[in-house]
Structures are given as structure tokens and as C-alpha cells.
Amino acid sequence: MPSAGSPVRLPAAVAHGAQPRLEDWCLIAGDRLSGRVYDDPRFEDGEHITTSPVLLLSNHAAATCTTHYRLGRPA
């Protein structure tokens, strides 16, 4: 754990308040999302991904153990 006053480095998406967005997504295997990701520094915009298991899902957002996604248009 960092000591008081020492900076904590956050992933770029968290540091800037951005959340990756999934477009053309669908739920697969009962607990994962598959779709095109945008605004995630780990991937090229529009790259097709499959998430790790989804822990929370609503009409406009989804969360895995490591990432919160904004949900755009479903497939």
C-alpha cells in the first residue's frame, strides 16, 4: 500500500474517468459479453472482444471483475 502523499498510478481509463464502450454486443455462454470495444487503451477501437464473466448487467452498463463497460447498441 502506498504511503501517505505518494502518488497512486491508475490505469489510463480509470484516471481519466472513461469507461470502455461495447457496441454490437450480445450475451454469450450465459455470463460473457461479446462485441466491439471502443475507448479502451488495451484494444484498438472497434476490435471484437469477449469479456471475462459479467458480474453486474443493466440496460446501459456491465461490470466484470476488472472493467466497467458502457453498453451501446446491442447486436
Side-chain angles (χ1 to χ4, degrees):
M1 176 165 256
S3 62
S6 55
V8 175
R9 229 181 137 117
L10 298 174
V14 174
H16 294 109
Q19 287 183 322
R21 182 179 87 246
L22 278 179
E23 294 287 347
D24 302 320
W25 58 271
C26 61
L27 188 63
I28 61 170
D31 67 348
R32 296 169 191 262
L33 293 173
S34 178
R36 302 205 177 276
V37 68
Y38 296 86
D39 305 321
D40 188 323
R42 300 171 296 177
F43 304 100
E44 293 289 324
D45 276 353
E47 188 171 337
H48 189 269
I49 66 162
T50 298
T51 68
S52 56
V54 174
L55 304 175
L56 297 170
L57 181 63
S58 74
N59 290 340
H60 304 288
T64 67
C65 64
T66 59
T67 308
H68 289 108
Y69 295 94
R70 292 176 291 135
L71 297 178
R73 181 185 64 219

